[in-house]
């Protein structure tokens, strides 16, 4: 191993230092020569990146008598010493933004996983014993030779290099700098849209969302549903009671979008109209939080059921039937004036199939026929 880069000095008892200079050619070795002040006590100090000195670490006293009696005296009258250096295979890992490599991502969770020779998991050790959590500042000393994999985790990001196992041996370590691996993490701009009723703040299922990228015209279509963001969270883990409850409460829609960008968002839902985020939505890399998707809450106004011949809703409480909303008092002065059935699904009063059956069950009398008797059955407007 070429040790020409190593620096060697002698430190005297009074703290003075004798630098032994550059190597000189002698018997094809890396010899350094210096003159000592006798008598005195000296300590050898050898420095080399990624190596530690393993011998001649204790102070040594030199005087004329010990010099002449030493068995290490060479042909030229010099006293020869050989310093041994051991490799310290310390690995440093740095994580940067894939698009801007000058941006260091310091809050990434990074793990080094030791694998078998063929890149397979080790079978003779516990899974946790094969994983080492990395510290960017101090690095970690590893066993060599060995096969390893690097895993980096950061919300809204994915690792783009060193995704396959790699092998490390002595020849990987330089002698003039640390061995540093640079991981690249690419931002995955995930937008989470939650649609709510402005008055009740209830989350709305089945809201149809259209995102338009204003520069390119690219379209994205989303629909709010239970567990809408589950596809963009870490998968593979068993879901407990708490996680199931969180998913049940998560009524949203998620989409990866190009970033930076300018977007127009439009939300449609029967009996509702969009009440917020009507202008452009500007997003950039600094917009996204570090703990999950960027959440956008769109409020909707409940506009009610369209009934021909009467006002949509009676706000003063006249003979209306409450449907669960302060604006849902329906006033019907003439049952035969109804020519458009409400969407019962939107009001939580039944399924799509039940809605269709109820629509078909209503038949308008033809002109000239007798008025409908009191026993005529009309579609019911209350939940069964």
């Amino acid at each position: 191993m070429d040790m020409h880069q190593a620096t060697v000095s002698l430190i005297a008892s009074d703290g003075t230092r004798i630098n032994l200079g550059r190597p000189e050619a002698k018997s094809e070795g890396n010899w350094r020569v210096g003159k000592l002040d006798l008598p005195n006590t000296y300590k050898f100090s050898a420095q080399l990146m990624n190596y530690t000195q393993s011998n001649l670490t204790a102070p040594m006293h030199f005087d004329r008598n010990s010099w002449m009696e030493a068995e290490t005296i060479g042909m030229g009258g010099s006293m020869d010493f050989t310093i041994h250096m051991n490799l310290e295979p310390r690995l440093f890992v740095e994580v940067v933004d894939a698009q801007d490599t000058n941006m260091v991502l310091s809050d990434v969770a990074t793990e080094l996983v030791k694998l078998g020779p063929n890149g397979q998991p080790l079978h003779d050790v516990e899974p946790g014993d094969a994983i080492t959590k990395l510290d960017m500042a101090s690095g970690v000393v590893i066993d060599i030779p060995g096969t390893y994999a690097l895993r980096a985790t950061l919300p809204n990001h994915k690792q783009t290099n060193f995704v396959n196992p790699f092998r490390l041996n002595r020849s990987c370590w330089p002698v003039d700098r640390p061995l540093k691996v640079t991981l690249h993490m690419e931002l995955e701009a995930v937008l989470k849209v939650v649609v709510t009723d402005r008055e009740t703040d209830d989350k709305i299922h089945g809201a149809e969302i259209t995102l338009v990228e204003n520069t390119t015209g690219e379209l994205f279509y989303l629909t709010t549903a239970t567990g809408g963001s589950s596809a963009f969270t870490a998968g593979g883990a068993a879901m407990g009671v708490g996680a199931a409850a969180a998913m049940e409460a998560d009524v949203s829609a998620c989409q990866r979008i190009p970033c930076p960008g300018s977007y127009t968002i439009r939300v449609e839902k029967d009996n509702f109209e969009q009440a917020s985020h009507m202008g452009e939505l500007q997003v950039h890399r600094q917009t996204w939080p570090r703990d999950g998707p960027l959440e956008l809450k769109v409020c909707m106004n409940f506009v009610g059921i369209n009934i021909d011949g009467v006002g949509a809703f009676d706000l003063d409480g006249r003979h209306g039937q409450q449907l669960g909303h302060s604006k849902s008092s329906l006033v019907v002065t003439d049952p035969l004036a109804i020519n458009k059935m409400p969407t019962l699904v939107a009001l939580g009063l039944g399924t799509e199939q039940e809605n269709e059956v109820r629509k078909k069950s209503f038949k308008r009398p033809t002109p000239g026929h007798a008025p409908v008797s009191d026993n005529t059955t009309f579609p019911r407007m209350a939940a069964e």
Side-chain angles (χ1 to χ4, degrees), residues 97 99 156-157 186-191 213 216 218 220 255-263 281-288 294:
D97 189 284
Q99 294 183 350
N156 303 329
H157 289 75
E186 183 178 20
L187 173 67
E188 288 190 309
V190 177
L191 180 66
E213 210 294 316
T216 63
E218 187 175 4
F220 302 92
Q255 176 66 49
R256 290 187 178 94
I257 60 175
C259 179
S262 173
Y263 293 85
L281 174 67
Q282 299 285 344
V283 296
H284 48 82
R285 300 181 63 79
Q286 288 72 31
T287 303
W288 263 260
L294 174 65

Side-chain angles (χ1 to χ4, degrees), residues 207-220:
E208 296 180 352
I209 304 164
T210 303
L211 287 173
V212 183
E213 210 294 316
N214 296 324
T215 303
T216 63
E218 187 175 4
L219 298 175
F220 302 92

Side-chain angles (χ1 to χ4, degrees), residues 7 22 32 44 52 60 66 146 265 268 298 311 355 367 369 377 382:
T7 60
R22 296 178 61 84
R32 294 154 175 83
F44 286 93
T52 58
M60 301 176 63
S66 62
I265 180 170
E268 295 181 346
V298 179
N355 189 45
H369 285 67
T377 301

Side-chain angles (χ1 to χ4, degrees), residues 10 20 26 31-34 36 38 44 60-82:
L10 286 169
L20 299 186
K26 180 179 180 181
W31 295 94
R32 294 154 175 83
V33 178
L36 308 183
L38 301 181
F44 286 93
M60 301 176 63
H61 183 74
F62 295 94
D63 55 30
R64 292 181 61 85
N65 293 332
S66 62
W67 194 274
M68 299 305 296
E69 295 173 357
E71 297 179 356
T72 57
I73 297 297
M75 294 296 295
S78 61
M79 186 178 290
D80 298 342
F81 295 91
T82 301

Side-chain angles (χ1 to χ4, degrees), residues 330-351:
L330 179 64
V331 179
V332 181
T333 56
D334 182 1
L336 299 183
I338 300 177
N339 61 11
K340 182 177 181 181
M341 291 298 297
T343 304
L344 302 182
V345 178
L347 299 175
L349 302 181
T351 65

